[in-house]
Amino acid sequence: MTTYLACPVKYRYTYLDPRARWLLKAKSYYSFGSTLHHVLQRFHDAGDAGVETTDEVLAAYEESWIDAGYHSAEEMAEAFGEGREILQRYVAQVQAKPAEAKTLFVERQFRHDFGDFVLIGRIDRVDEYEDGVLEVVDYKSGRESVSEDEVATDIAMCCYQLLLRTKFPDRKVRARIVALRSSDSAVHSLSDGEMVEFERDIAILAREILSENFDERRPVRKPMCERCDFQIACQQDPDF
Ligand code: SF4
């Protein structure tokens, strides 16, 4: 089984204990990411007329701005300026290239029922290319760069490919991460064999989560804790 970077305690907070979700609220980077996602959703949604030019995109950005989680007006003004630059560059790049694909879905949820659990993923965008390939596009608002290897080992990107393949079994699928801060992007496609292996791995992982007694799990400090949103909860444990 491929080893994915994960923390079992995080699974409890993320999947099993909705009361812990409050910890995720009101963070400036979530507000910033949600704002950019919403504007790009409108930009790529053929049904949402009026968000096509740079000026229209920037107007949508002002309308969509979420101000929760910033520590000061200065911090928010700086983030707002960065967001404007990101969107201006993004729109200029899209408009400079001839369209190679048409957008099929924006912000669409896909599900796959495994019987004892359901895999659910909300995909930022799905593009269809002329050769029939379906491409999942995932925006990362905090990233400057991305590599093919990072797409290949990103559990969410593999889940999205699996979800899309189960809905469109006769199509080739691939996944692209777009690092919005630089417009860098990278693509990876799971082969048929890797898709089968991933589906088996995800079922093993999900069933491990379902069978685990999380009340007995104690948090153990590790390098990834430094970047974890749930640290406040784990710090309640005297041995953490
Ligand atoms: S703080 Fe560390 S132990 Fe706690 S959930 Fe996050 S990664 Fe896991």
Side-chain angles (χ1 to χ4, degrees), residues 107-120:
E107 289 288 333
R108 178 68 65 93
Q109 181 176 285
F110 291 86
R111 302 163 58 91
H112 178 47
D113 193 340
F114 279 77
D116 48 350
F117 69 95
V118 180
L119 181 67
I120 299 175

Side-chain angles (χ1 to χ4, degrees), residues 7 9-10 13 219-220 222 224-225 228 230-231 234 240:
C7 167
V9 179
K10 218 170 186 175
Y13 299 139
V220 176
K222 44 195 159 300
M224 73 170 74
C225 297
C228 179
F230 299 113
Q231 253 202 69
C234 289
F240 181 67

Side-chain angles (χ1 to χ4, degrees), residues 26-38:
K27 299 266 180 15
S28 59
Y29 43 88
Y30 290 133
S31 298
F32 186 69
S34 296
T35 302
L36 291 184
H37 275 70
H38 184 63

Side-chain angles (χ1 to χ4, degrees), residues 95-132:
Q95 289 175 342
K97 277 198 306 188
E100 299 171 331
K102 75 171 185 220
T103 297
L104 283 190
F105 307 110
V106 286
E107 289 288 333
R108 178 68 65 93
Q109 181 176 285
F110 291 86
R111 302 163 58 91
H112 178 47
D113 193 340
F114 279 77
D116 48 350
F117 69 95
V118 180
L119 181 67
I120 299 175
R122 192 170 184 84
I123 300 180
D124 290 343
R125 193 173 104 217
V126 177
D127 285 348
E128 180 183 41
Y129 282 74
E130 281 177 6
D131 58 4

